[in-house]
Amino acid sequence: MSLESIKYQRGNLEILDQLLLPLQTRYIKVLGVEDGWKVINKMQVRGAPAIAIVGCLSLAVELLKDDSSDKKIMRQEIEGKLNYLVSARPTAVNIKLAAEELINLANTLSADETVSADNFKERFISFIENMLVKDIEDNKAIGNFGCEAILKSLEGDSQIRVLTHCNTGSLATAGFGTALGVIRSLNKSKRLEHVYCTETRPYNQGARLTAYELVHEKIPATLIVDSMVAALMHVRKINAVIVGADRVAANGDTANKIGTYQIAIVAKYHNVPFYVAAPLTSIDMSLKSGDRIKIEERPDKEMTHIGEFRIAAPGINCWNPSFDVTPASLITGIITEKGVFAPDKLHEVMNK
């Protein structure tokens, strides 16, 4: 059974505080948009799909308590609050696209004279709730398409080993996962021999979260430090690298957790296929290339401390970008809920 990072019933939203994992399991109540912004910004919830879902659900919770009878005022407040939520983590595109879709919906409902204020609210909240269901369905489709593509590329029916970076499972989505969803599907196929997961410094999402999920689901796995990837590929046969994405540009350049780019370079050198698993909501066709993706920079303390304990020399300068951009030329395929595509073919699926 997958871990539940988001608990939602109409009017009530709780998220699993991922800063406390794996040592503590505690859920935090999200009472509205301000709480939603805080848990996203502080990375108590993280992963591009989960950020979008939690942000939008925080608005649904707040809107349910709104007794306004003026559709125009509701529409204005919705737009302002969605734009505020987008500012919490600027690199992940999913919440930006979700916000644009919801703002368009609010504009349409506001302009329709046959829609009452109560009906406006009901239809708007229901739309957000359906996003939660759709995310899980899309994740499972990504898992199946990715599993099929990876197995098809191999000869015979031998067991395979894969490498993943950061956390892309149930904790990063509404459920099941993207890259980790592919790994789940491989495991279900009985073809998965072993998973190697990186610790993912400086926030250790791999050591704290991915390792936690793999152990929870009894998937055979080994944790390695980030600087060990080249050595691993030299001494072990790795059949594929599977990572997630926070934003994919129109040409296939992909922003993902810092360290992804160097793993792609090492994979290319060792002839290991490199896959990106991401829903279509992570693809930003308005950006021609990854050069235009805004990279979030995080506080120095995430590098200099583990918890409250300082591990770096006092006074040292730090540079802490949360993401890097992997060029499309290093990516074998992008796994989506509609299938697996070469980076230069994304326009075909997005235009359908």
Side-chain angles (χ1 to χ4, degrees):
M1 181 179 176
S2 297
L3 295 164
E4 191 175 14
S5 62
I6 302 168
K7 290 183 176 181
Y8 175 79
Q9 289 185 328
R10 180 166 286 200
N12 184 64
L13 173 63
E14 297 180 17
I15 62 104
L16 183 61
D17 187 347
Q18 296 186 27
L19 295 181
L20 301 179
L21 292 174
L23 302 179
Q24 296 181 52
T25 301
R26 187 182 75 185
Y27 284 86
I28 302 170
K29 279 189 174 293
V30 177
L31 301 178
V33 167
E34 189 61 41
D35 286 349
W37 191 94
K38 287 177 180 176
V39 297
I40 292 168
N41 181 258
K42 290 170 65 178
M43 293 178 66
Q44 289 171 298
V45 63
R46 21 73 47 216
I51 287 169
I53 295 295
V54 169
C56 294
L57 286 175
S58 74
L59 176 59
V61 169
E62 187 164 313
L63 189 60
L64 191 66
K65 296 180 284 189
D66 188 342
D67 57 3
S68 173
S69 59
D70 190 321
K71 291 195 300 177
K72 289 184 178 179
I73 291 176
M74 278 197 290
R75 187 207 66 76
Q76 290 171 353
E77 289 185 350
I78 283 169
E79 182 172 359
K81 287 172 182 177
L82 284 168
N83 287 330
Y84 176 59
L85 285 163
V86 170
S87 74
R89 296 291 305 278
T91 300
V93 71
N94 306 56
I95 191 167
K96 175 179 175 288
L97 296 180
E100 290 172 355
E101 188 173 22
L102 288 172
I103 289 169
N104 287 337
L105 175 62
N107 288 337
T108 300
L109 294 174
S110 178
D112 190 339
E113 295 182 358
T114 66
V115 176
S116 67
D118 286 343
N119 190 232
F120 177 116
K121 187 187 298 185
E122 172 62 30
R123 288 170 64 176
F124 192 85
I125 292 172
S126 294
F127 189 90
I128 292 175
E129 291 171 342
N130 286 334
M131 291 168 64
L132 182 66
V133 175
K134 185 178 185 300
D135 187 68
I136 296 172
E137 293 174 350
D138 288 348
N139 282 193
K140 290 181 177 179
I142 288 169
N144 291 333
F145 280 123
C147 174
E148 182 181 308
I150 290 169
L151 294 181
K152 190 176 180 180
S153 69
L154 302 174
E155 294 182 1
D157 57 358
S158 60
Q159 296 288 291
I160 67 170
R161 303 187 189 106
V162 300
L163 171 77
T164 192
H165 183 58
C166 198
N167 176 255
T168 57
S170 298
L171 298 174
T173 63
F176 199 72
T178 53
L180 203 53
V182 176
I183 290 170
R184 282 194 173 93
S185 296
L186 287 167
N187 189 54
K188 187 178 178 181
S189 75
K190 308 297 184 185
R191 294 284 302 278
L192 182 66
E193 178 182 311
H194 211 81
V195 180
Y196 292 90
C197 61
T198 57
E199 59 179 349
T200 321
R201 284 279 295 148
Y203 232 44
N204 295 304
Q205 292 99 323
R208 292 188 302 106
L209 307 178
T210 299
Y212 184 65
E213 291 201 55
L214 292 168
V215 170
H216 177 80
E217 302 213 12
K218 297 181 174 59
I219 295 175
T222 296
L223 176 68
I224 64 171
V225 300
D226 295 349
S227 55
M228 201 182 289
V229 172
L232 173 70
M233 291 185 181
H234 180 66
V235 300
R236 293 276 192 277
K237 173 63 177 175
I238 302 298
N239 301 100
V241 175
I242 316 166
V243 301
D246 285 81
R247 188 177 297 222
V248 181
N251 71 338
D253 291 349
T254 296
N256 192 49
K257 183 54 56 186
I258 193 73
T260 303
Y261 181 17
Q262 63 194 26
I263 293 173
I265 292 170
V266 171
K268 188 79 167 181
Y269 180 83
H270 288 89
N271 296 313
V272 177
F274 185 96
Y275 292 94
V276 171
L280 295 178
T281 52
S282 293
I283 300 171
D284 188 350
M285 296 302 286
S286 71
L287 299 182
K288 291 183 179 180
S289 73
D291 293 338
R292 305 189 66 179
I293 297 175
K294 181 178 180 180
I295 301 298
E296 174 190 7
E297 296 201 8
R298 301 288 299 175
D300 291 359
K301 189 177 179 182
E302 293 179 5
M303 292 179 64
T304 59
H305 290 67
I306 293 181
E308 296 304 315
F309 295 95
R310 173 175 277 276
I311 60 170
I316 188 68
N317 293 322
C318 296
W319 180 45
N320 189 19
S322 195
F323 308 94
D324 56 27
V325 176
T326 300
S329 59
L330 298 177
I331 298 171
T332 305
I334 296 175
I335 306 166
T336 76
E337 66 270 31
K338 298 297 184 183
V340 184
F341 302 89
D344 62 354
K345 301 296 183 183
L346 283 178
H347 62 281
E348 295 180 6
V349 65
M350 297 302 289
N351 290 335
K352 284 183 180 178

